[in-house]
Amino acid sequence: MGGTDAKDILGLPKTPLHEKKARPQKQSHRKPDGISREVHALTGGVAPPLTPSIDVTHLKRPPPPHEKVAWQWLPIYSSARKDDLQLYRWVRVVNGVPPTGDYSFAKYNKSVDILKYTDDEYENHLTDPVWIKEETDQLFELCERFDLRFTVIADRFPLSRTLEELKDRYYSVTRALLRARAQSPSDLANHPLMKEPYDMTRHRERKRALSMVLSQSRHQEKKDAEILAEAKRITEIRLAARRAADLDVSGNENIGLDKADGGPGCSVSPSSNSQLPATAVAPSTLTMADYASTLASLRMVYALTGGVAPLMPSIDVTHLKRPPPPDEKVAWQWLPVKSSARKDDLQLYHWVRVVNDVPPTGDYSFAKYNKSVDVLKYTDDEYENHLTDPVWTKEETDQLFELCERFDLRFTVIADRFPLSRTVEELKDRYYSVTRALLRARAQSPAELANHPLIKEPYDMTRDRERKRALSMVLSQSRHQEKKDAEILAEAKRITEMRLAARRAAEPDVPANENIGSVSPSSNSQLPATAVAPSTLTMADYASTLASLRMLHVYLRTYGLEQMVQAASSAVGLRTIKRVEQTLQDLGVNLKPKVPTKTVCDEHLELRKEILTLLNLQKQLQYKESEGSSHREGTYAAMPDTPKDRVFASEPFSFGAERPIKKEPKRKGPGRQSDTPSPAHKRPRKLKASDL
Amino acid sequence: MTSSSSSKKQAQDPPETSEPTLKSLRTKMTKSDEKKKLKDIEISVPLVYGNIASWLGKKASEYQSHKWTVYVRGATNEDISVVIKKVVFQLHSSFNNPTRVIEEPPFEVSESGWGEFEIAITLHFHSDVCDKPLSLYHHLKLYPEDESGPLTMKKPVVVEHYDEIVFPDPSESFLSRVQNHPALTFPRLPSGYNLPAPMQVDDNGKKKRGDTKDHSLGQWFTSFSEADELLQLAAARQQVQAHIAKLRRQISLLEGQNQTIKTGSDP
């Protein structure tokens, strides 16, 4: 904090009252008391501790002074223990009086009332095909002992029974006993075992489903979530459909009823109305809901495939599944194959589908793929005459052609086999140039050649090389570079779009503006044509300046104005800028507004733009005048490029009472007519016209 | 022999605007963009910054001839601390602790000295407003323009500048916090755009008032009004537009003349 000295001197308060705003940010970093710094940092430094359930103040309270606390090693007496085991522990003794009462944890020793059955009861009610009496007895003993902790019971049970089976047996026995012993059915109705009987299959299912859910992979979890969402959507659709149908049907039923009844006329009794919608709703909503659910399930399936529609299978599936016609007898035989593709006599065999003992005729079905290229062969004479090359010897060329013939122009293989080390591009280049030269030499007329693909698009080695280099560059880009490239492309796209938009936006504006000064429509149509093109560029410039200002997130309005002014003047010459400023001064306007509010700045910009327009028009006027005068002299002056910003140093005109049409000399040079160039500039076309 | 244009490109012919004076390019772009983006709104905070210096008269020494205050205030003397968290004034290195950080309004530094120098004023905003600071520069003025006149203790030298801070894309939290605050111009939101209600800051009693309406030097504050400037600009634009119209008429006339001549001279 700086300035404490100054504050001292000036007597200003030292403690800033303004810190409050900063505080909320700080609080997470301040560690609470009572825990060490390291521990607090471990919690991430932010999480406040849960409110302790123990009242801390209670613990920290010093003991009341009149109490004398001592700790003694005393025996405990617990009602929970049935045996006589004597245990000792530390006991807090206050004023020499040990605490009375039971061992404080004894109250947790609950036990379950297990029903005990007599043998008679067993015979009468409890027999079971799967369970014998001994087992049931053992089960009950264990239940008693372990207080229905079935996991332990299942572990201890001598025979291997599942937990569900044990539960089932226990609960069904107990239920049967209760029923048998009950005086009246109403006693039983409220017994929990009766109200909700144990259902073994249900529990088994439940456990199985639970274990499945718990062992799901993350992928499956997502799928399940989707399906659930889908189901929810379907139910919502049904609800909505039902509600919609309610509204609809009640409206539609008037028509139906009229037709059906025919008698009572248009007014239908409300009671029948209320009936029909009820019945009509159900089917209509069902259809809608069915439709919706079919859609939904289709969507689900679609989503399962990753959301890409399957391609139409090229094999007609129905065709495959069709059973063979009954009259055909199909057998498969191991037969020799004759292929036209093979030049040697190697005899190969394969399984052939023989129908009605007639083996298939025709060539081996894959023989048609054995295409080869017609590689031209040249004679030695031809070589001497047309095909010599500084880099390639005849032997090399011969070898190349041999390989080409042999490998059907598979240049990667050829390059590999070529005895000398040449790149693929070089080989290709040589082959194609030789072939082209041969074709040209052998052709009867040029017309033949013109359509030959090798002539139409000749192989260009350098281009091919470049292409491969660029491709490898693109493919080997790191992800970072890919992103950069994508960004740049997107940026370029945005800029072009902005320009397009600006152009389109500018166009409707310009015709609307031509009402100033009631100018005749013919001239209107001409001027906008010339004015639109440059104006769109300006709009795009403004747009990009605005965009760059936005990037700053904060800026001063004067700065913003400067940027916009610069954007506008970036495309015009320095002299024009000066003239604009001069004009502003003449008009009595500050070059930089003293009170730059938004409206003021916008007005300022508009004014500048209008001045530019004005200056432009001035130039145009002069041009037209010079054109006119040159025409009057009887020559058709060729139109050179209009140097719009180059003017005959036409002076700024005064905005006083006088509005001169011809420019009066004000500052630059002595008086002169508008069509005489000042000597400082290069010769304009005026001279040319007058020269001629 | 063909004339060659001298180096520069073609001059632009920007479109004329005949709309009422309040519309501008910026609003035009905004309107067309409004369909695409909801947030083409900006908040502007009008500021005045500058200094007031008075001669110390009899008590003036060689090194302490004037006492001066350099400050940043809201243009309407409202409390700008709603936007500005702190202001850092960087004084001349000969001063003790030349970096003065002022964290609460009024954002000003008062000192005494003898020399004029440039002061860098950096505005730091609250975190929900903007992370980047903004810098202004002010040349400290102690001596009046009229150099010949005697120094007087009565009338201080006042130099103030008006400017506005523009936030081109304010965050929602910022917007909701400052709605209806007098210190800044809140934009008109597009219809249907609802802002959350601002949180009630309930420390009216504790915080000092941050506005400068009752400032000790308040009598010297300049009151900036855009009305004059607007009038000026409007008048200028009218003149220019009239002139443009006239020129256009002339051009069309000439156009017609040239056409007849051209058709006449064709073989």
Side-chain angles (χ1 to χ4, degrees), chain B residues 71-113:
Chain B
Y71 55 86
V72 180
R73 64 175 173 92
T76 45
N77 288 318
E78 294 290 348
D79 181 9
I80 48 175
S81 63
V82 63
V83 170
I84 294 181
K85 184 167 73 172
K86 67 179 184 196
V87 181
V88 179
F89 293 91
Q90 185 69 33
L91 306 178
H92 192 266
S93 45
S94 59
F95 279 89
N96 216 355
N97 289 335
T99 313
R100 305 287 169 93
V101 180
I102 312 297
E103 282 167 328
E104 55 158 8
F107 300 106
E108 62 187 26
V109 169
S110 300
E111 269 287 354
S112 49

Short mmCIF file of all heavy atoms in Angstrom, two decimals, chain B residues 71-113:
data_model
loop_
_atom_site.label_atom_id
_atom_site.label_comp_id
_atom_site.label_asym_id
_atom_site.label_seq_id
_atom_site.Cartn_x
_atom_site.Cartn_y
_atom_site.Cartn_z
N TYR B 71 -6.79 14.32 -10.42
CA TYR B 71 -7.91 13.47 -10.04
C TYR B 71 -8.60 12.89 -11.27
O TYR B 71 -8.44 13.35 -12.39
CB TYR B 71 -8.94 14.26 -9.23
CG TYR B 71 -9.42 15.49 -9.95
CD1 TYR B 71 -10.47 15.43 -10.87
CD2 TYR B 71 -8.80 16.71 -9.75
CE1 TYR B 71 -10.89 16.56 -11.54
CE2 TYR B 71 -9.21 17.83 -10.42
CZ TYR B 71 -10.26 17.76 -11.31
OH TYR B 71 -10.67 18.88 -11.99
N VAL B 72 -9.41 11.88 -10.94
CA VAL B 72 -10.34 11.31 -11.93
C VAL B 72 -11.71 11.33 -11.26
O VAL B 72 -11.84 10.86 -10.13
CB VAL B 72 -9.97 9.86 -12.27
CG1 VAL B 72 -10.94 9.29 -13.29
CG2 VAL B 72 -8.57 9.76 -12.77
N ARG B 73 -12.67 11.84 -11.94
CA ARG B 73 -14.00 11.87 -11.33
C ARG B 73 -15.04 11.54 -12.40
O ARG B 73 -14.77 11.55 -13.58
CB ARG B 73 -14.29 13.25 -10.73
CG ARG B 73 -14.33 14.35 -11.78
CD ARG B 73 -14.74 15.68 -11.16
NE ARG B 73 -14.63 16.77 -12.13
CZ ARG B 73 -15.62 17.18 -12.91
NH1 ARG B 73 -16.79 16.61 -12.84
NH2 ARG B 73 -15.43 18.17 -13.77
N GLY B 74 -16.22 11.24 -11.95
CA GLY B 74 -17.30 11.03 -12.90
C GLY B 74 -17.69 12.36 -13.50
O GLY B 74 -17.65 13.39 -12.83
N ALA B 75 -18.10 12.34 -14.74
CA ALA B 75 -18.38 13.60 -15.42
C ALA B 75 -19.54 14.33 -14.79
O ALA B 75 -19.58 15.56 -14.78
CB ALA B 75 -18.66 13.34 -16.90
N THR B 76 -20.48 13.58 -14.24
CA THR B 76 -21.60 14.24 -13.57
C THR B 76 -21.40 14.25 -12.07
O THR B 76 -22.34 14.42 -11.31
CB THR B 76 -22.90 13.51 -13.90
OG1 THR B 76 -22.65 12.11 -13.76
CG2 THR B 76 -23.35 13.80 -15.31
N ASN B 77 -20.18 14.00 -11.65
CA ASN B 77 -19.84 13.96 -10.23
C ASN B 77 -20.50 12.81 -9.49
O ASN B 77 -20.67 12.86 -8.27
CB ASN B 77 -20.19 15.28 -9.52
CG ASN B 77 -19.23 16.36 -9.92
OD1 ASN B 77 -18.04 16.13 -10.01
ND2 ASN B 77 -19.76 17.54 -10.21
N GLU B 78 -20.85 11.78 -10.22
CA GLU B 78 -21.40 10.61 -9.54
C GLU B 78 -20.27 9.70 -9.09
O GLU B 78 -19.12 9.87 -9.47
CB GLU B 78 -22.33 9.86 -10.49
CG GLU B 78 -23.57 10.65 -10.86
CD GLU B 78 -24.52 10.78 -9.70
OE1 GLU B 78 -24.33 10.08 -8.68
OE2 GLU B 78 -25.43 11.62 -9.78
N ASP B 79 -20.66 8.68 -8.36
CA ASP B 79 -19.67 7.80 -7.77
C ASP B 79 -19.21 6.75 -8.77
O ASP B 79 -19.96 5.86 -9.14
CB ASP B 79 -20.33 7.11 -6.56
CG ASP B 79 -19.37 6.17 -5.86
OD1 ASP B 79 -18.16 6.17 -6.21
OD2 ASP B 79 -19.82 5.44 -4.97
N ILE B 80 -18.00 6.84 -9.24
CA ILE B 80 -17.52 5.89 -10.23
C ILE B 80 -16.89 4.67 -9.60
O ILE B 80 -16.44 3.76 -10.30
CB ILE B 80 -16.48 6.53 -11.19
CG1 ILE B 80 -15.42 7.28 -10.39
CG2 ILE B 80 -17.17 7.43 -12.18
CD1 ILE B 80 -14.33 7.82 -11.28
N SER B 81 -16.86 4.61 -8.27
CA SER B 81 -16.23 3.43 -7.67
C SER B 81 -17.07 2.17 -7.90
O SER B 81 -16.62 1.07 -7.61
CB SER B 81 -16.02 3.63 -6.18
OG SER B 81 -17.27 3.78 -5.55
N VAL B 82 -18.27 2.36 -8.44
CA VAL B 82 -19.05 1.17 -8.78
C VAL B 82 -18.37 0.40 -9.91
O VAL B 82 -18.53 -0.81 -10.03
CB VAL B 82 -20.49 1.60 -9.16
CG1 VAL B 82 -20.46 2.47 -10.39
CG2 VAL B 82 -21.37 0.42 -9.37
N VAL B 83 -17.61 1.12 -10.70
CA VAL B 83 -16.93 0.48 -11.82
C VAL B 83 -15.44 0.34 -11.54
O VAL B 83 -14.82 -0.66 -11.84
CB VAL B 83 -17.14 1.33 -13.10
CG1 VAL B 83 -16.27 0.84 -14.21
CG2 VAL B 83 -18.59 1.32 -13.49
N ILE B 84 -14.91 1.39 -10.91
CA ILE B 84 -13.45 1.45 -10.74
C ILE B 84 -13.10 0.96 -9.36
O ILE B 84 -13.66 1.40 -8.36
CB ILE B 84 -12.96 2.90 -10.95
CG1 ILE B 84 -13.22 3.29 -12.40
CG2 ILE B 84 -11.51 3.02 -10.62
CD1 ILE B 84 -12.77 4.67 -12.73
N LYS B 85 -12.16 0.04 -9.35
CA LYS B 85 -11.74 -0.51 -8.08
C LYS B 85 -10.67 0.37 -7.47
O LYS B 85 -10.70 0.70 -6.30
CB LYS B 85 -11.18 -1.92 -8.32
CG LYS B 85 -10.80 -2.62 -7.06
CD LYS B 85 -10.58 -4.09 -7.33
CE LYS B 85 -9.28 -4.31 -8.09
NZ LYS B 85 -8.97 -5.75 -8.18
N LYS B 86 -9.66 0.71 -8.28
CA LYS B 86 -8.62 1.59 -7.75
C LYS B 86 -7.99 2.33 -8.90
O LYS B 86 -8.09 1.93 -10.06
CB LYS B 86 -7.56 0.78 -6.99
CG LYS B 86 -6.76 -0.12 -7.86
CD LYS B 86 -5.72 -0.87 -7.03
CE LYS B 86 -4.86 -1.69 -7.98
NZ LYS B 86 -4.09 -2.69 -7.33
N VAL B 87 -7.35 3.41 -8.55
CA VAL B 87 -6.66 4.22 -9.55
C VAL B 87 -5.22 4.38 -9.10
O VAL B 87 -4.95 4.65 -7.92
CB VAL B 87 -7.31 5.61 -9.68
CG1 VAL B 87 -6.59 6.42 -10.74
CG2 VAL B 87 -8.78 5.47 -10.05
N VAL B 88 -4.32 4.19 -10.04
CA VAL B 88 -2.90 4.33 -9.72
C VAL B 88 -2.37 5.54 -10.44
O VAL B 88 -2.43 5.62 -11.67
CB VAL B 88 -2.13 3.07 -10.18
CG1 VAL B 88 -0.66 3.23 -9.87
CG2 VAL B 88 -2.69 1.85 -9.51
N PHE B 89 -1.87 6.49 -9.68
CA PHE B 89 -1.28 7.69 -10.28
C PHE B 89 0.23 7.54 -10.22
O PHE B 89 0.81 7.37 -9.14
CB PHE B 89 -1.68 8.94 -9.47
CG PHE B 89 -3.14 9.27 -9.54
CD1 PHE B 89 -4.03 8.74 -8.61
CD2 PHE B 89 -3.63 10.11 -10.51
CE1 PHE B 89 -5.38 9.05 -8.66
CE2 PHE B 89 -4.98 10.43 -10.56
CZ PHE B 89 -5.86 9.91 -9.64
N GLN B 90 0.84 7.61 -11.38
CA GLN B 90 2.29 7.51 -11.41
C GLN B 90 2.87 8.91 -11.53
O GLN B 90 2.75 9.56 -12.57
CB GLN B 90 2.72 6.65 -12.61
CG GLN B 90 4.19 6.39 -12.66
CD GLN B 90 4.65 5.48 -11.54
OE1 GLN B 90 3.92 4.60 -11.11
NE2 GLN B 90 5.84 5.72 -11.04
N LEU B 91 3.47 9.38 -10.44
CA LEU B 91 3.99 10.74 -10.45
C LEU B 91 5.44 10.74 -10.89
O LEU B 91 6.05 9.70 -11.12
CB LEU B 91 3.88 11.34 -9.04
CG LEU B 91 2.50 11.30 -8.41
CD1 LEU B 91 2.59 11.87 -7.01
CD2 LEU B 91 1.50 12.07 -9.24
N HIS B 92 5.97 11.93 -10.94
CA HIS B 92 7.38 12.06 -11.30
C HIS B 92 8.25 11.38 -10.26
O HIS B 92 7.93 11.34 -9.08
CB HIS B 92 7.71 13.56 -11.38
CG HIS B 92 9.03 13.85 -12.02
ND1 HIS B 92 10.17 14.00 -11.29
CD2 HIS B 92 9.36 13.98 -13.32
CE1 HIS B 92 11.19 14.24 -12.12
NE2 HIS B 92 10.72 14.23 -13.37
N SER B 93 9.36 10.82 -10.74
CA SER B 93 10.18 10.01 -9.84
C SER B 93 10.78 10.82 -8.71
O SER B 93 11.23 10.26 -7.71
CB SER B 93 11.30 9.33 -10.63
OG SER B 93 11.89 10.26 -11.52
N SER B 94 10.77 12.14 -8.84
CA SER B 94 11.35 12.92 -7.75
C SER B 94 10.44 12.98 -6.54
O SER B 94 10.84 13.42 -5.47
CB SER B 94 11.66 14.34 -8.23
OG SER B 94 10.48 14.96 -8.68
N PHE B 95 9.22 12.53 -6.71
CA PHE B 95 8.31 12.54 -5.58
C PHE B 95 8.56 11.34 -4.71
O PHE B 95 8.96 10.27 -5.17
CB PHE B 95 6.86 12.52 -6.05
CG PHE B 95 6.35 13.87 -6.44
CD1 PHE B 95 6.49 14.32 -7.74
CD2 PHE B 95 5.74 14.69 -5.50
CE1 PHE B 95 6.03 15.56 -8.10
CE2 PHE B 95 5.27 15.93 -5.87
CZ PHE B 95 5.42 16.38 -7.17
N ASN B 96 8.26 11.52 -3.46
CA ASN B 96 8.30 10.43 -2.52
C ASN B 96 7.20 9.45 -2.86
O ASN B 96 6.06 9.86 -3.04
CB ASN B 96 8.01 11.03 -1.13
CG ASN B 96 8.81 10.32 -0.09
OD1 ASN B 96 9.50 9.35 -0.38
ND2 ASN B 96 8.71 10.83 1.12
N ASN B 97 7.54 8.15 -2.94
CA ASN B 97 6.50 7.18 -3.33
C ASN B 97 5.76 7.63 -4.58
O ASN B 97 4.58 7.97 -4.51
CB ASN B 97 5.45 7.01 -2.22
CG ASN B 97 6.01 6.27 -1.05
OD1 ASN B 97 6.95 5.51 -1.20
ND2 ASN B 97 5.44 6.49 0.11
N PRO B 98 6.41 7.63 -5.70
CA PRO B 98 5.77 8.19 -6.88
C PRO B 98 4.55 7.40 -7.35
O PRO B 98 3.72 7.92 -8.08
CB PRO B 98 6.86 8.18 -7.94
CG PRO B 98 7.86 7.21 -7.46
CD PRO B 98 7.79 7.18 -5.99
N THR B 99 4.44 6.16 -6.93
CA THR B 99 3.27 5.39 -7.35
C THR B 99 2.22 5.49 -6.28
O THR B 99 2.33 4.91 -5.21
CB THR B 99 3.63 3.91 -7.55
OG1 THR B 99 4.82 3.81 -8.31
CG2 THR B 99 2.51 3.18 -8.27
N ARG B 100 1.19 6.25 -6.55
CA ARG B 100 0.14 6.45 -5.58
C ARG B 100 -1.07 5.62 -5.98
O ARG B 100 -1.61 5.77 -7.07
CB ARG B 100 -0.29 7.92 -5.54
CG ARG B 100 0.87 8.88 -5.29
CD ARG B 100 1.32 8.81 -3.83
NE ARG B 100 2.58 9.53 -3.63
CZ ARG B 100 2.65 10.80 -3.25
NH1 ARG B 100 1.54 11.48 -3.06
NH2 ARG B 100 3.81 11.37 -3.09
N VAL B 101 -1.44 4.74 -5.06
CA VAL B 101 -2.58 3.88 -5.34
C VAL B 101 -3.75 4.39 -4.52
O VAL B 101 -3.70 4.41 -3.30
CB VAL B 101 -2.28 2.43 -4.95
CG1 VAL B 101 -3.46 1.55 -5.26
CG2 VAL B 101 -1.06 1.94 -5.71
N ILE B 102 -4.80 4.77 -5.20
CA ILE B 102 -5.98 5.27 -4.49
C ILE B 102 -7.08 4.25 -4.66
O ILE B 102 -7.48 3.94 -5.78
CB ILE B 102 -6.44 6.61 -5.09
CG1 ILE B 102 -5.25 7.54 -5.24
CG2 ILE B 102 -7.53 7.23 -4.24
CD1 ILE B 102 -4.60 7.91 -3.95
N GLU B 103 -7.53 3.72 -3.53
CA GLU B 103 -8.47 2.61 -3.62
C GLU B 103 -9.89 2.99 -3.30
O GLU B 103 -10.76 2.13 -3.29
CB GLU B 103 -8.00 1.48 -2.72
CG GLU B 103 -6.87 0.73 -3.40
CD GLU B 103 -6.15 -0.19 -2.45
OE1 GLU B 103 -6.06 0.14 -1.27
OE2 GLU B 103 -5.68 -1.23 -2.92
N GLU B 104 -10.11 4.23 -2.98
CA GLU B 104 -11.49 4.59 -2.74
C GLU B 104 -11.71 6.01 -3.22
O GLU B 104 -10.76 6.80 -3.28
CB GLU B 104 -11.82 4.46 -1.26
CG GLU B 104 -10.89 5.23 -0.37
CD GLU B 104 -11.53 5.51 0.96
OE1 GLU B 104 -12.61 4.97 1.20
OE2 GLU B 104 -10.96 6.28 1.71
N PRO B 105 -12.92 6.32 -3.58
CA PRO B 105 -13.16 7.67 -4.08
C PRO B 105 -13.04 8.66 -2.94
O PRO B 105 -13.26 8.29 -1.79
CB PRO B 105 -14.60 7.59 -4.60
CG PRO B 105 -15.22 6.45 -3.86
CD PRO B 105 -14.13 5.50 -3.56
N PRO B 106 -12.75 9.91 -3.22
CA PRO B 106 -12.41 10.49 -4.51
C PRO B 106 -11.02 10.07 -4.96
O PRO B 106 -10.08 10.04 -4.16
CB PRO B 106 -12.48 11.99 -4.26
CG PRO B 106 -12.22 12.14 -2.80
CD PRO B 106 -12.73 10.90 -2.14
N PHE B 107 -10.93 9.69 -6.23
CA PHE B 107 -9.67 9.20 -6.76
C PHE B 107 -8.79 10.38 -7.11
O PHE B 107 -8.87 10.92 -8.22
CB PHE B 107 -9.92 8.34 -7.99
CG PHE B 107 -10.78 7.14 -7.70
CD1 PHE B 107 -12.09 7.10 -8.11
CD2 PHE B 107 -10.25 6.07 -6.99
CE1 PHE B 107 -12.87 5.98 -7.84
CE2 PHE B 107 -11.02 4.96 -6.71
CZ PHE B 107 -12.34 4.92 -7.14
N GLU B 108 -7.99 10.79 -6.18
CA GLU B 108 -7.17 11.97 -6.45
C GLU B 108 -5.92 11.92 -5.61
O GLU B 108 -5.83 11.20 -4.62
CB GLU B 108 -7.95 13.22 -6.08
CG GLU B 108 -8.31 13.25 -4.61
CD GLU B 108 -9.21 14.40 -4.26
OE1 GLU B 108 -9.94 14.86 -5.15
OE2 GLU B 108 -9.17 14.82 -3.10
N VAL B 109 -4.97 12.67 -6.09
CA VAL B 109 -3.71 12.82 -5.35
C VAL B 109 -3.44 14.30 -5.23
O VAL B 109 -3.50 15.03 -6.23
CB VAL B 109 -2.54 12.15 -6.10
CG1 VAL B 109 -1.22 12.53 -5.47
CG2 VAL B 109 -2.72 10.66 -6.10
N SER B 110 -3.18 14.72 -4.02
CA SER B 110 -2.84 16.12 -3.82
C SER B 110 -1.40 16.21 -3.36
O SER B 110 -0.97 15.49 -2.47
CB SER B 110 -3.75 16.73 -2.76
OG SER B 110 -5.08 16.65 -3.19
N GLU B 111 -0.70 17.11 -4.00
CA GLU B 111 0.72 17.24 -3.68
C GLU B 111 1.11 18.69 -3.82
O GLU B 111 0.33 19.53 -4.25
CB GLU B 111 1.56 16.41 -4.66
CG GLU B 111 1.84 15.02 -4.21
CD GLU B 111 2.87 14.96 -3.09
OE1 GLU B 111 3.45 16.01 -2.75
OE2 GLU B 111 3.08 13.86 -2.54
N SER B 112 2.34 18.95 -3.47
CA SER B 112 2.84 20.28 -3.76
C SER B 112 4.19 20.13 -4.44
O SER B 112 4.94 19.19 -4.17
CB SER B 112 2.97 21.08 -2.47
OG SER B 112 3.64 20.32 -1.50
N GLY B 113 4.46 21.06 -5.32
CA GLY B 113 5.70 20.98 -6.06
C GLY B 113 5.90 22.20 -6.90
O GLY B 113 5.20 23.21 -6.74
#
